[in-house]
Amino acid sequence: MKRMISLRDQRINEKDRAKAPVKKKEDPSAIKEREVPQHPSCLFFQYNTQLGPPYHILVDTNFINFSIKAKLDLVQSMMDCLYAKCIPCITDCVMGEIEKLGQKYRVALRIAKDPRFERLPCMHKGTYADDCLVQRVTQHKCYIVATVDKELKRRIRKIPGVPIMYISRHRYNIERMPDDYGAPRF
């Protein structure tokens, strides 16, 4: 036979002792408020109207390293991919990551310090480049992100209207670019 605990027992919390509140029926004529997320005005469905030549391309650390391994000139290969002028942009976080890699990646550091590259200052704490790139792309939809990192690609695919540049078969390719711009699809 099971024993029942009385409601006055010390082991029961105050909130459990109180009886369940009676739910009120909703008034069908009442005005319902709901929160709708704001979308940037530059997006027309999945089409980003802020993208256009000259393209600003945010470059990740591993993109520079894989470009060196594939023996690709960054600026020239970007122009070959997009058929337009490209301005590679490097944030302070990416530059810090390359500097931390040490002597082995001195060629990547020399390429990153090229005067054709635009430097973007970072105002946040820490030097984790992936978070920095994702944050910058969500705020400003005028960038193309160049990366080879699968995890960063997965995070950027969740942001609408941001194309991704990557390396395959010793050349640059781009995904999620509007049909009016850029290189032909392969």
Side-chain angles (χ1 to χ4, degrees):
M1 186 168 130
K2 293 185 179 180
R3 291 183 135 190
M4 298 287 285
I5 297 176
S6 74
L7 288 175
R8 289 185 226 118
D9 197 331
Q10 298 169 358
R11 294 173 283 184
I12 298 177
N13 296 335
E14 284 293 321
K15 63 180 181 181
D16 294 337
R17 287 183 194 165
K19 293 183 179 180
V22 179
K23 292 184 179 179
K24 296 178 183 177
K25 289 189 174 182
E26 292 184 25
D27 184 21
S29 63
I31 298 173
K32 297 176 184 173
E33 292 183 21
R34 62 184 181 140
E35 193 171 314
V36 179
Q38 288 288 338
H39 292 287
S41 60
C42 66
L43 292 180
F44 182 73
F45 297 113
Q46 294 292 317
Y47 184 83
N48 189 350
T49 56
Q50 281 188 347
L51 283 176
Y55 295 108
H56 292 274
I57 302 171
L58 280 175
V59 181
D60 192 22
T61 308
N62 55 21
F63 190 80
I64 295 174
N65 292 333
F66 277 84
S67 296
I68 293 168
K69 287 179 185 174
K71 297 182 179 163
L72 293 169
D73 178 33
L74 248 79
V75 179
Q76 188 60 44
S77 298
M78 286 176 182
M79 288 184 189
D80 292 344
C81 177
L82 293 170
Y83 298 139
K85 184 175 191 234
C86 298
I87 303 168
C89 303
I90 287 198
T91 62
D92 289 342
C93 295
V94 172
M95 200 62 134
E97 255 187 16
I98 296 171
E99 288 170 356
K100 282 181 187 176
L101 290 174
Q103 193 66 20
K104 188 176 178 185
Y105 294 94
R106 64 185 176 276
V107 178
L109 184 62
R110 192 176 310 139
I111 289 172
K113 288 183 177 178
D114 191 332
R116 296 179 291 180
F117 282 50
E118 184 180 320
R119 287 291 299 269
L120 302 174
C122 296
M123 300 299 174
H124 56 82
K125 292 181 179 178
T127 57
Y128 188 58
D130 291 0
D131 289 340
C132 177
L133 294 176
V134 169
Q135 176 191 4
R136 192 171 291 269
V137 163
T138 49
Q139 288 174 350
H140 313 287
K141 301 275 191 214
C142 62
Y143 294 111
I144 298 170
V145 179
T147 185
V148 186
D149 186 16
K150 287 182 181 177
E151 186 65 27
L152 181 59
K153 278 189 197 176
R154 186 186 59 77
R155 287 175 65 184
I156 290 175
R157 282 186 189 118
K158 293 179 183 175
I159 306 167
V162 180
I164 301 169
M165 185 179 281
Y166 59 96
I167 302 172
S168 69
R169 290 190 236 138
H170 295 283
R171 60 182 296 178
Y172 292 171
N173 285 327
I174 195 152
E175 72 178 46
R176 297 174 57 188
M177 188 74 167
D179 293 331
D180 294 349
Y181 305 130
R185 305 273 183 252
F186 292 109

